[in-house]
């Protein structure tokens, strides 16, 4: 989903979806993803399928529905499968940012900070950046998935001036 919070006098626009985590966990372990990422990088794989063409947000799809979509045209090569999943999810994210601009966002994203499990994968960050037209996608200094929500809660609890509920 897309969210907007007032933080330290500025608006923080963000989004979150576990679409990628759900799908990847359905088929691969962390160790397998590390090995497949190395293979993808060494052989310069390119996505050849967008599993979620036209989808704007990952929410609304159950784990089973999302897995069924990708399983219908799963290639026999696991590395190609991972590239297709990464690319498909990156395209969902890019469409969401583009839609925000179409709806009147005053400016587009200039940098995307990534948290959670996917933040550790440099290939994934590169694919996300490419899908969004070259916007840098960087790992947050503190990349625990709930860290930002905790900061917002702290500001609200302290009733700081820049917090707008």
């Amino acid at each position: 989903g897309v969210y907007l919070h007032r933080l330290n006098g500025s608006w923080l626009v963000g989004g979150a979806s576990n679409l990628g985590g759900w799908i990847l966990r359905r088929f691969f372990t962390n160790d397998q993803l590390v090995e497949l990422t190395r293979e993808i990088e060494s052989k310069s794989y390119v996505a050849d399928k967008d599993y979620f063409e036209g989808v704007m947000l990952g929410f609304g799809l159950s784990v089973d529905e999302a897995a069924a979509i990708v399983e219908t045209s799963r290639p026999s090569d696991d590395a190609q499968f991972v590239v297709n999943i990464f690319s498909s999810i990156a395209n969902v994210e890019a469409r969401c940012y583009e839609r925000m601009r179409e709806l009147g966002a005053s400016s587009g994203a200039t940098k995307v900070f990534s948290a959670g499990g996917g933040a550790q994968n440099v290939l994934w960050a590169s694919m996300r950046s490419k899908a969004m037209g070259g916007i840098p996608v960087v790992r947050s200094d503190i990349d625990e998935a709930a860290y930002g929500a905790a900061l917002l809660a702290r500001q609200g609890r302290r009733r700081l001036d820049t917090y707008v509920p």
Side-chain angles (χ1 to χ4, degrees):
V2 176
Y3 55 81
L4 188 65
H5 297 286
R6 188 87 168 150
L7 181 64
N8 296 329
S10 297
W11 285 102
L12 172 66
V13 178
S17 168
N18 200 25
L19 178 62
W22 289 347
I23 294 170
L24 292 167
R25 287 293 158 256
R26 187 71 169 247
F27 301 105
F28 304 104
T29 65
N30 282 345
D31 290 342
Q32 288 172 315
L33 286 171
V34 168
E35 287 304 313
L36 288 166
T37 296
R38 285 188 191 125
E39 181 179 344
I40 292 162
E41 291 171 331
S42 71
K43 295 182 180 175
S44 302
Y45 280 79
V46 176
D48 61 11
K49 176 76 176 162
D50 187 345
Y51 294 119
F52 305 110
E53 193 171 344
V55 172
M56 289 293 294
L57 299 172
F59 295 110
L61 294 173
S62 71
V63 176
D64 291 334
E65 290 168 329
I69 290 169
V70 301
E71 282 179 311
T72 59
S73 57
R74 181 180 179 164
S76 58
D77 182 343
D78 282 345
Q80 185 63 57
F81 188 45
V82 169
V83 167
N84 289 348
I85 292 171
F86 280 176
S87 178
S88 297
I89 296 165
N91 290 338
V92 170
E93 180 178 33
R95 283 191 291 272
C96 289
Y97 278 109
E98 179 59 31
R99 183 69 177 137
M100 284 189 283
R101 283 190 294 275
E102 290 171 2
L103 292 172
S106 60
S107 63
T110 56
K111 185 184 272 188
V112 174
F113 292 91
S114 189
Q120 300 171 32
N121 191 305
V122 176
L123 171 66
W124 166 234
S126 172
M127 292 179 79
R128 291 172 65 199
S129 175
K130 182 178 177 184
M132 291 185 284
I135 295 168
V137 176
V138 298
R139 184 176 177 179
S140 297
D141 290 337
I142 299 174
D143 65 358
E144 292 298 322
Y147 183 73
L151 291 178
L152 290 169
R154 181 184 69 183
Q155 283 205 235
R157 176 80 172 117
R158 292 180 179 174
R159 302 203 184 285
L160 299 175
D161 292 339
T162 59
Y163 178 78
V164 179

